[in-house]
Amino acid sequence: MSNHLATLCFAHLLQPTTLRFDVVGHPRAEFSFAVIYPFHPYRDGRKGGEVTLVREYAQGPNAMMYCLPTGALDPKRHADLAQCAAQELSEEAFLSGGEWHRLLPADHSGIPESKWCMNRFVPFMVIDPQPDPDPGSRDAEEVHMEVQRVTLHELRALMGSGKMLLPSMTTAYMALDQLQQLGYL
């Protein structure tokens, strides 16, 4: 956590005001992470499909939360966020391959995680990933992570339940829009 000073001028104040803010973020991850929406289309001609979620302990809310596979950029392991996304999909959801879509333009720096955080995330979607025969190993805090495949109806219910982390919800909304445009929904 760092403490930032900012001089702000508000229309209703005659004098500039200096405020102190607490700002959090992960500098070792270059303040960047990837969120992956693994979509499994139905194979019987129906529109729709299922999505793979993970359920893991979240320190902030001190609760088990649902999320999409998510991982921080590690410059020692990942050349870029696309490689980070593929490795996190393997480690967390035991999936690989598929048709990949970056849900933001290539030159976009990512979506801010929250107003008090320097982290930004890039949402990805992968269509029809397959079980990874040799998945990456999980980090120590991910050992108790649960992998679940849910219907889109169940996903939407979780998104409105308060049991899903915001970057995953944002990515899911973006992926659902993209899947609609691609004719999957």
Side-chain angles (χ1 to χ4, degrees):
M1 180 166 54
S2 62
N3 207 323
H4 288 252
L5 289 177
T7 300
L8 304 173
C9 292
F10 294 100
H12 67 282
L13 298 175
L14 297 176
Q15 298 292 325
T17 302
T18 300
L19 301 173
R20 189 171 299 275
F21 295 96
D22 289 328
V23 179
V24 298
H26 298 285
R28 284 181 284 161
E30 297 182 1
F31 303 104
S32 298
F33 64 101
V35 182
I36 307 95
Y37 184 95
F39 178 67
H40 310 276
Y42 291 132
R43 299 197 180 280
D44 59 6
R46 290 180 294 156
K47 290 193 180 253
E50 298 176 329
V51 63
T52 296
L53 298 176
V54 294
R55 187 167 175 262
E56 67 178 319
Y57 176 73
Q59 305 90 307
N62 190 30
M64 294 295 287
M65 300 290 288
Y66 288 93
C67 58
L68 295 167
T70 301
L73 177 69
D74 181 347
K76 295 176 184 171
R77 295 179 51 215
H78 310 125
D80 56 25
L81 278 169
Q83 184 182 29
C84 171
Q87 287 184 358
E88 291 298 327
L89 182 67
S90 173
E91 292 169 14
E92 293 188 1
F94 309 126
L95 297 170
S96 65
E99 178 187 325
W100 283 84
H101 298 261
R102 182 182 166 122
L103 299 176
L104 290 174
D107 62 346
H108 197 289
S109 63
I111 300 169
E113 184 175 10
S114 66
K115 77 176 198 171
W116 55 82
C117 187
M118 293 177 67
N119 296 336
R120 290 177 171 268
F121 68 94
V122 173
F124 290 86
M125 175 177 66
V126 59
I127 298 172
D128 204 21
Q130 300 300 309
D132 190 337
D134 188 26
S137 59
R138 290 182 170 173
D139 297 328
E141 72 273 7
E142 298 172 333
V143 172
H144 299 289
M145 185 178 282
E146 303 167 10
V147 178
Q148 299 180 11
R149 205 151 135 176
V150 299
T151 66
L152 297 182
H153 177 75
E154 292 167 323
L155 170 69
R156 286 184 178 102
L158 284 169
M159 290 167 66
S161 72
K163 297 177 184 175
M164 182 176 274
L165 298 174
L166 282 173
S168 293
M169 290 175 56
T170 301
T171 299
Y173 279 118
M174 294 175 77
L176 290 167
D177 285 347
Q178 182 72 23
L179 288 167
Q180 182 77 38
Q181 291 174 18
L182 294 171
Y184 284 96
L185 305 180

